[in-house]
Amino acid sequence: MILELGGRRLELQHGRPLVMGIVNASPESFSDGGEWGTLDAQAERARALVEQGADLIDVGGESGVTGIDPLAPDEEIGRVVPLVERLAGDGIVVSVDTWKPAVAHAALAADAAMINDVSGLRDPALADECAAGGAALVVMHTRAQPKVKEFPGYDDVAADVLEFLHERLDMARSRGVAEEKLVVDPGPDFAKTPAETVEALRALGSLAELGRPVLLAVSRKDFIGALTGRPPHERLAGTLAAIGAGVDAGASIVRVHDVAATVDYLTVRAAFRGESEVSPSLRLPDDLRVSSRAPSSP
């Protein structure tokens, strides 16, 4: 499967997903709000994630946390665009998490390569912006308005995800977004209870009929917390379990907070599955034989 992203033509392979690192420029973020509070800190965080193995960075200027009024587009632009400019200037491939056409327009003018739309193209003008800017577009399943917590209920949530994404992909194509710039996302936790999210992800393999790469955005999500009883910063093990199942089912991009751990997980997984070559000369370097932690006191 081919994805055109940031001027590159990428051939995506089963079991070897792209890793999308998350940098939130939103102090209200559920997971790391305010942790990277300045432009310099956000840029430093993004560069660190790239060094850890991230293939692209997803920049968010507004949290999806519900019960908080949406930001005005100008305020979101002020959070996002300076960071996009700095990262793109460093040669980093940047995605921008937004559902507002005005923000998408400004981000693409600053050289963002992808718009990650968590509204499910509620405003088709977002697709117009991607078509005009030659950008990739993530189309996500949701039956709720942005920033509104709704659980509409489904007779068959997996069938609804598939039907919705078929419809929205057709809309994006009709607005001029090129086929090889389209990505789909089943929308874990968006307008879904934890049980509905699990049901939708169990059927992730059915999205193969859409013929487009699948973005798996499960990092630290509520459904993992519901399953494990863990708060956001303690959900890494659950996140990696969800990533493993999702990659088995065909996910081509994984969106994560913990890039280093994810890359390590995928590296070892690929070795055991015979998806990467393990040289007979592979050895552990001497400097990795001893823990770098200071010895505990007797």
Side-chain angles (χ1 to χ4, degrees), residues 55-121:
D55 298 287
L56 67 161
I57 298 296
D58 195 42
V59 171
E62 177 178 55
S63 170
V65 171
T66 57
I68 303 173
D69 290 338
L71 292 177
D74 285 348
E75 185 175 358
E76 188 176 343
I77 289 169
R79 292 181 178 184
V80 166
V81 166
L83 182 56
V84 173
E85 290 175 337
R86 189 172 294 191
L87 300 183
D90 288 343
I92 295 172
V93 179
V94 182
S95 166
V96 172
D97 179 344
T98 189
W99 48 273
K100 302 183 182 84
V103 178
H105 180 86
L108 296 178
D111 286 336
M114 173 185 279
I115 297 299
N116 183 9
D117 173 25
V118 296
S119 77
L121 280 184

Side-chain angles (χ1 to χ4, degrees), residues 82-269:
L83 182 56
V84 173
E85 290 175 337
R86 189 172 294 191
L87 300 183
D90 288 343
I92 295 172
V93 179
V94 182
S95 166
V96 172
D97 179 344
T98 189
W99 48 273
K100 302 183 182 84
V103 178
H105 180 86
L108 296 178
D111 286 336
M114 173 185 279
I115 297 299
N116 183 9
D117 173 25
V118 296
S119 77
L121 280 184
R122 183 168 287 265
D123 188 340
L126 201 68
D128 298 340
E129 294 293 347
C130 289
L137 171 65
V138 179
V139 179
M140 192 194 78
H141 173 274
T142 181
R143 294 290 185 182
Q145 297 180 46
K147 307 287 287 181
V148 176
K149 199 177 192 71
E150 292 182 88
F151 301 110
Y154 306 90
D155 293 331
D156 183 334
V157 66
D160 194 84
V161 168
L162 189 59
E163 178 185 2
F164 180 96
L165 292 176
H166 262 300
E167 175 191 327
R168 291 304 196 269
L169 285 175
D170 285 344
M171 178 189 294
R173 294 180 186 111
S174 73
R175 312 291 289 212
V177 181
E179 181 71 16
E180 293 183 346
K181 294 181 183 291
L182 289 167
V183 176
V184 296
D185 177 350
D189 285 350
F190 282 84
K192 301 172 190 67
T193 65
E196 288 167 342
T197 290
V198 170
E199 185 179 349
L201 293 179
R202 283 174 175 169
L204 195 69
S206 68
L207 300 187
E209 76 174 66
L210 298 171
R212 298 309 308 143
V214 174
L215 170 65
L216 185 67
V218 293
S219 184
R220 304 183 183 177
K221 285 291 182 76
D222 285 358
F223 80 93
I224 294 174
L227 287 170
T228 63
R230 302 282 186 183
H233 277 281
E234 296 179 15
R235 295 175 188 167
L236 176 58
T239 294
L240 296 177
I243 286 172
V247 173
D248 282 345
S252 298
I253 306 171
V254 293
R255 181 182 182 273
V256 297
H257 299 84
D258 302 288
V259 167
T262 300
V263 170
D264 287 353
Y265 170 79
L266 292 171
T267 298
V268 175
R269 177 183 182 277

